[in-house]
Structures are given as C-alpha cells and as structure tokens.
Amino acid sequence: MFPFELVHLTDEENVVRITVLEPMGDDMWEAEIEVTSLFVKGKTLLVLFSSKLDAWAEALKSLAEGQDIVWMSEHNGPTVRIELEGGNDCPDVIVEDETISMVTVRVPIALEGDWITDHKERLRRFVEGL
C-alpha cells in the first residue's frame, strides 16, 4: 500500500502531490508534500493524523461546492490552500511551510476533469486500505 499518492494536483507542467510514505503508529503516517513547476522544485516531510484526513474530506466537499479551502492550518507543518479562482484563470495551490523552511509557494494548476471526485476516491481507497 505504501507509498500511497493521496493528493496529485497537476496540469503536466505544475504539480503538487502528497505521498503517504509509511505508518508511524496508530492513526499517524509519515508523508511528504512535493511541489514541482518550471520555476521551483521542493519537498518537505509532514505527519498526517486521522484528523487531517477527516479535514481533507471536508475540504473536498467545500471545493465541490465552489469554495476555496485551507487544509492543515491548525497543525504544525505545511498548510495547503486551494483558491479556485486563481490569478491565471485557473486554480492556485498555495503551500506554506511556516514551521520549518518559512517558504510559501503559489502554483497555478489548470486542473481538468473531475479532479475533486478523483481525490475523494484516493482518500476512500487510503482509508479503506488501513
């Protein structure tokens, strides 16, 4: 099951992905968030808890309703924001790593197809595979 790609936001030029690497105990997993664009490439580790997975499910519901989201802002580690009406006529994905690197990256990603349903399915598969 591991590694498991929980989040994969891409338009083939820009990518934000979160890969669950391995379990760290009950309801806790080591993961990494990676941002790749023509301009920047970086990644950092994070810890996912079941509460963060629940928050991701809620964020996906909000996105499906046309609302921007902020995910993982209440915890230590990176925060992910998705602004559906970004500055380049496509969604912006913002990754903020205020606790370790102090870096924020904004990546426009022309998301196509039913990417929200795809991510709901990814989350379902991960949770059911536990």
Side-chain angles (χ1 to χ4, degrees), residues 21-73:
L21 302 173
E22 62 184 354
M24 297 176 67
D26 293 341
D27 296 331
M28 187 167 65
W29 302 268
E30 180 180 42
E32 81 178 359
I33 185 165
E34 181 179 1
V35 178
T36 305
S37 75
L38 296 173
F39 180 69
V40 66
K41 181 174 183 171
K43 60 184 169 180
T44 190
L45 293 175
L46 66 126
V47 177
L48 290 177
F49 299 94
S50 57
S51 60
K52 289 183 182 181
L53 298 177
D54 293 342
W56 180 233
E58 290 301 314
L60 290 168
K61 286 180 189 175
S62 295
L63 288 165
E65 294 170 357
Q67 300 171 19
D68 296 345
I69 62 99
V70 179
W71 178 41
M72 299 190 288
S73 66

Side-chain angles (χ1 to χ4, degrees), residues 69-107:
I69 62 99
V70 179
W71 178 41
M72 299 190 288
S73 66
E74 299 172 4
H75 305 280
N76 290 333
T79 298
V80 176
R81 300 174 190 276
I82 300 177
E83 297 175 356
L84 295 172
E85 299 291 326
N88 295 300
D89 296 324
C90 66
D92 282 343
V93 180
I94 301 104
V95 178
E96 298 172 298
D97 183 28
E98 294 179 352
T99 57
I100 298 173
S101 69
M102 307 296 270
V103 172
T104 298
V105 179
R106 176 182 294 265
V107 183

Side-chain angles (χ1 to χ4, degrees), residues 6 53 56-57 60 119-127:
L6 182 65
L53 298 177
W56 180 233
L60 290 168
H119 282 82
K120 287 179 181 180
E121 179 62 20
R122 287 171 187 268
L123 178 59
R124 184 194 64 76
R125 284 193 324 263
F126 182 75
V127 170

Side-chain angles (χ1 to χ4, degrees), residues 1-8 18 20 29 53 56-57 60 114-130:
M1 171 170 191
F2 296 99
F4 185 90
E5 195 171 67
L6 182 65
V7 175
H8 185 87
I18 297 176
V20 183
W29 302 268
L53 298 177
W56 180 233
L60 290 168
D114 198 356
W115 62 274
I116 296 170
T117 299
D118 172 56
H119 282 82
K120 287 179 181 180
E121 179 62 20
R122 287 171 187 268
L123 178 59
R124 184 194 64 76
R125 284 193 324 263
F126 182 75
V127 170
E128 287 181 359
L130 298 177

